[in-house]
Structure formats: C-alpha cells, structure tokens
Amino acid sequence: MAEPLANEPIPVDDLPALDDDAFVSVDPRYLRASLAGTALIALVAVVVAGIVASQAEQPVVVVLIGAGVLCVLALVAVLKVLEVRRLAYQLRAHDLSLRSGVIIHAVESLPFTRVQHVNVNRGPIERAIGLATLEVSSAGPNIVIPGLTDADASRIKLLVTQRAGVDLDDSAPLAPPAPPSLPAPASSSVPAPAPFPAPSSPAPPAP
C-alpha cells in the first residue's frame, strides 16, 4: 500500500537567510569616480550659466536657472553616495546575491545553475583607476556589480563559471559555420552519339 503524501509545513524561522554582515561593499574608488562625473557636469553648467548671464538682458533669471541645475546635481550626488554605500554583493556556495537600492531596498539572488554568461567590462574611467564591472547573465534577471577591482572581478568570474559550468572564454569570437557541401554531379550514363559516316563519292561511269 502506498504511503500517504507528506506535506508538512516549514517554519519560516528555520529557513536559511542572507547574512547582512557577509555582504562585501564595492571599492571606494567607484564612488569617487561617480562623483567626479557629477562634478564635471556641475562645472560645465556653471561656466555656461556665467557666459549666458554676462550677455543676457536679465542675468538674474539665468542665475536662478543655473542655481536650480546645481541643486538638482547636488541631490543626484547625495543619492549616488547613498546608493554606493548600500551597493554590496555576497557569494555563497550555490548563488550570488546583490544588495542595492536607496529608496526601495532590493536584494537579488541568482543561483549558479541558471547562469548562462559571465563577462567583465572595463570602461575608460574604470581602466584608469583599476576597476571593473562584473555582469552575470541568466535566463531571468541579470546581476551587474560595478566598482570591483580587476583582481576581484576576475576571481569572481572564474568561480561563477566553474560553479555554473559555462564557457570561460566568453570573449573568443565564434567561428563562422562551414558552408554546406554540395553533392558531386552524377556521371551521365547516356552514351555519346556515334558520328555520322562520311558520304561516299559515286564511281565514275565506265567508258
């Protein structure tokens, strides 16, 4: 006799949880690079506002617009600081997790069994300061971790590819497919036509 199907409840307190202390923050240089871009935009805005205000009939309006732009950039800088401070990742035996978000806190976890592609990107600014961005693609949402050192990004990429069983050499170009081979033409079995016989000249009449 078959045993009845057991479907016992699982207490939530007994489930494994992500350890907040095990999250690893991104490199501090990533915050400085992000703020440098915002500061450059602010400098350009101040220069443009000064030039326009010196030639405008009502420079007060231009100054107020420039001040508003600077206030927006300052707010963007504050949000960027809070975002980078919360941005962190955690590697476990079977998954990779990312913590992010300022207003809405989010924690994403990606099992290694769903990983399809792992790539390390380095932009011009990242190369200048020795940082990299790790991008892990899957059948569902992807995980992008910026602000990693070159060494950490390479080690995490190697670990994820080994656990996921994907191709490590993701930057190698794919070889073009070979053109399909055409079948050899079949030899014709029809015999060549025989040449026509040469016409015989008539014999001369007898004398």
Side-chain angles (χ1 to χ4, degrees), residues 6-179:
N7 191 15
E8 299 295 332
I10 301 177
V12 178
D13 296 337
D14 297 340
L15 296 176
L18 289 170
D19 189 2
D20 290 338
D21 296 333
F23 276 96
V24 181
S25 300
V26 298
D27 194 278
R29 290 175 293 177
Y30 175 67
L31 175 59
R32 293 196 291 267
S34 301
L35 294 180
T38 305
L40 180 60
I41 296 175
L43 179 60
V44 172
V46 170
V47 172
V48 172
I51 295 175
V52 175
S54 63
Q55 300 178 357
E57 297 180 357
Q58 295 181 349
V60 178
V61 177
V62 179
V63 172
L64 292 177
I65 294 176
V69 172
L70 291 179
C71 291
V72 172
L73 292 176
L75 179 61
V76 170
V78 171
L79 294 177
K80 192 65 178 180
V81 171
L82 298 177
E83 177 186 359
V84 174
R85 287 183 177 178
R86 177 165 172 79
L87 189 62
Y89 65 93
Q90 182 175 155
L91 277 169
R92 298 193 299 179
H94 302 287
D95 57 24
L96 171 65
S97 299
L98 177 66
R99 185 185 67 188
S100 61
V102 178
I103 300 176
I104 300 177
H105 292 182
V107 177
E108 302 174 85
S109 295
L110 178 61
F112 293 142
T113 54
R114 298 185 60 185
V115 173
Q116 295 180 339
H117 184 76
V118 186
N119 192 27
V120 175
N121 301 320
R122 298 177 180 88
I125 299 179
E126 291 176 317
R127 289 196 303 267
I129 59 179
L131 296 181
T133 298
L134 180 71
E135 182 177 356
V136 183
S137 304
S138 68
N142 302 333
I143 285 185
V144 179
I145 308 177
L148 299 175
T149 62
D150 287 335
D152 288 346
S154 299
R155 284 195 293 262
I156 296 174
K157 176 184 177 181
L158 180 60
L159 173 65
V160 174
T161 50
Q162 289 177 347
R163 297 292 177 90
V166 298
D167 186 10
L168 180 61
D169 190 9
D170 51 27
S171 60
L174 296 177

